[in-house]
Amino acid sequence: MAWSLDSDRPVYVQLAERLKLQIVSGYYSCGDRLPSVRELAAAAAVNPNTMQRAFAELERSGLVVTLRTSGRVVTEDRALVEELRHDMAKLQVKTFVDRMAEIGCSRDEVLELLREVLEQESANL
Amino acid sequence: MAWSLDSDRPVYVQLAERLKLQIVSGYYSCGDRLPSVRELAAAAAVNPNTMQRAFAELERSGLVVTLRTSGRVVTEDRALVEELRHDMAKLQVKTFVDRMAEIGCSRDEVLELLREVLEQESANL
Amino acid sequence: MAWSLDSDRPVYVQLAERLKLQIVSGYYSCGDRLPSVRELAAAAAVNPNTMQRAFAELERSGLVVTLRTSGRVVTEDRALVEELRHDMAKLQVKTFVDRMAEIGCSRDEVLELLREVLEQESANL
Amino acid sequence: MAWSLDSDRPVYVQLAERLKLQIVSGYYSCGDRLPSVRELAAAAAVNPNTMQRAFAELERSGLVVTLRTSGRVVTEDRALVEELRHDMAKLQVKTFVDRMAEIGCSRDEVLELLREVLEQESANL
DNA sequence: GTGGTCTAGACCACT
DNA sequence: GTGGTCTAGACCACG
């Protein structure tokens, strides 16, 4: 997963989304200490202020908590993380189902294609 | 399906995509006569030239054929339409699977969520 | 050789050209009696007056002579026919050479390609 | 080679053909930067949009590639250019051979006339 | 009426 | 400056 940034949406929103993704996907686990704003900003080639703003978003949602003196960590609230993960997943699924319906795929066809692709992916591991 | 147009991608591309979708999904069937360029342009609130350009794309792909003076019809080549439909569907599925993997969903979880959503949709009918 | 007629040039000119071609190519030989204007007009699906006008052109050039009572025949003047044939051929060759030069073909390449095509044609007989 | 335009065929098609000819003939070589659309449009006395459309044709065939902001260049793919050149040449030859056959010229006569004309052309240099 | 083409003029993104 | 896109409005050929 690279730091790919569109120029048409606010950068801080994109950064926040990516960090959120890294948390719900388990790349950063509950209780993990996160890299410093400066480090992440450098890695993403953005201004530290922008990265800071991204973190502000994550704190509002409770995914990340700031420890006065020792940086930021992922929340210990596993249920919250899991809930967000589930919400994101469900949104993706709904969007997917709608698109397949637009293309004119039946319920069975969707499942059939999905199984095909999943097996290919498995085979590639 | 409304004539929703982003401002960030060429309008004629979006129009072509939408028409393609309407054909592969069966909204317009093989052999069906399509509305005139002027009609569709009016409906989509774009300049007729722009709609014409969209049709040029469809014609190059073979989905649509032009009858000199009596409008355009969807190709009679059902195999071509089916092939395109399958390609579009498979691309959607692959994108979907990748995104779910990013979120950190297992194969089984994807299938489980999908079944959930599909049943909800069925229930809504 | 079919009676293919463009709509952008005078029909009688096209008919005259075609008849001229049939004479110089030997389809009608010197001294041959030609079909009647009515017959030819019917075959070409044109008005007899139009075909008549085509013949007038051929008579002016001396390729065809009218016998008072017994229709028209191809001139007996073999030299004239041969001269016209040679002129037509030379014009074609010149046009051809010019076009090949435009494409950027060398003298040798032209000859090489020509031999290729001529042999293919021979093989097809 | 002048910007001669018929009025009976689409202008953009004629422009595209001419540009194609200039590329395969080596007037513009592989990698050469082409004049801007506006320049060429002015030279050919057509609307820039029309010239743009001509370039779109060339781009679809792969003969020309667009550099975002710094104009267009001829493809570096010499093989493609050579292939197109050969195709064009062969088509001309075939057409020529057919026409000569219609006139009633034998294989040897065609070659004889061709040599004559080629020598005249050489002499004119 | 249909599609096809062309012009004129404008705006945008990119550098 | 470059190419890319869009609009507006016009004309043509075809039946």
Side-chain angles (χ1 to χ4, degrees), chain D residues 66-115:
Chain D
T66 298
L67 310 178
R68 293 299 160 82
T69 69
S70 53
R72 288 178 168 91
V73 298
V74 178
T75 177
E76 294 284 2
D77 185 349
R78 291 184 183 281
L80 173 64
V81 174
E82 179 52 31
E83 185 193 332
L84 285 179
R85 195 181 76 93
H86 187 265
D87 289 351
M88 290 173 73
K90 198 138 189 178
L91 181 60
Q92 283 299 326
V93 174
K94 278 181 179 159
T95 307
F96 169 64
V97 166
D98 288 350
R99 289 207 182 139
M100 294 303 276
E102 275 186 354
I103 294 176
C105 289
S106 71
R107 189 181 168 293
D108 289 346
E109 196 176 358
V110 171
L111 286 170
E112 174 55 27
L113 278 168
L114 184 58
R115 280 200 201 88

Side-chain angles (χ1 to χ4, degrees), chain B residues 49-77:
Chain B
N49 284 332
T50 305
M51 187 59 81
Q52 183 106 12
R53 197 167 172 185
F55 271 116
E57 298 283 310
L58 293 180
E59 227 146 6
R60 229 172 308 121
S61 71
L63 266 186
V64 157
V65 299
T66 298
L67 310 177
R68 292 301 158 82
T69 69
S70 53
R72 288 178 168 90
V73 298
V74 177
T75 176
E76 294 284 3
D77 184 350

Side-chain angles (χ1 to χ4, degrees), chain D:
Chain D
M1 210 176 340
W3 285 107
S4 56
L5 296 171
D6 305 343
S7 61
D8 58 341
R9 286 185 316 153
V11 173
Y12 78 93
V13 172
Q14 299 179 56
L15 295 174
E17 275 177 7
R18 191 179 183 281
L19 290 166
K20 180 179 170 187
L21 205 53
Q22 290 182 313
I23 290 172
V24 300
S25 72
Y27 179 83
Y28 294 124
S29 302
C30 286
D32 279 6
R33 191 175 181 289
L34 296 164
S36 79
V37 168
R38 290 162 170 83
E39 264 181 274
L40 286 173
V46 299
N47 185 286
N49 284 331
T50 305
M51 187 59 81
Q52 183 106 10
R53 197 167 173 186
F55 270 116
E57 297 283 309
L58 293 181
E59 227 146 4
R60 229 172 311 120
S61 71
L63 266 186
V64 158
V65 300
T66 298
L67 310 178
R68 293 299 160 82
T69 69
S70 53
R72 288 178 168 91
V73 298
V74 178
T75 177
E76 294 284 2
D77 185 349
R78 291 184 183 281
L80 173 64
V81 174
E82 179 52 31
E83 185 193 332
L84 285 179
R85 195 181 76 93
H86 187 265
D87 289 351
M88 290 173 73
K90 198 138 189 178
L91 181 60
Q92 283 299 326
V93 174
K94 278 181 179 159
T95 307
F96 169 64
V97 166
D98 288 350
R99 289 207 182 139
M100 294 303 276
E102 275 186 354
I103 294 176
C105 289
S106 71
R107 189 181 168 293
D108 289 346
E109 196 176 358
V110 171
L111 286 170
E112 174 55 27
L113 278 168
L114 184 58
R115 280 200 201 88
E116 259 181 52
V117 172
L118 283 174
E119 287 190 8
Q120 279 182 13
E121 303 276 316
S122 307
N124 290 346
L125 297 185

Side-chain angles (χ1 to χ4, degrees), chain C residues 89-110:
Chain C
K90 198 136 189 180
L91 180 60
Q92 284 300 326
V93 174
K94 279 182 177 159
T95 306
F96 169 65
V97 166
D98 288 350
R99 291 211 180 136
M100 294 303 275
E102 275 187 351
I103 295 176
C105 289
S106 70
R107 190 181 166 291
D108 288 348
E109 198 176 357
V110 171

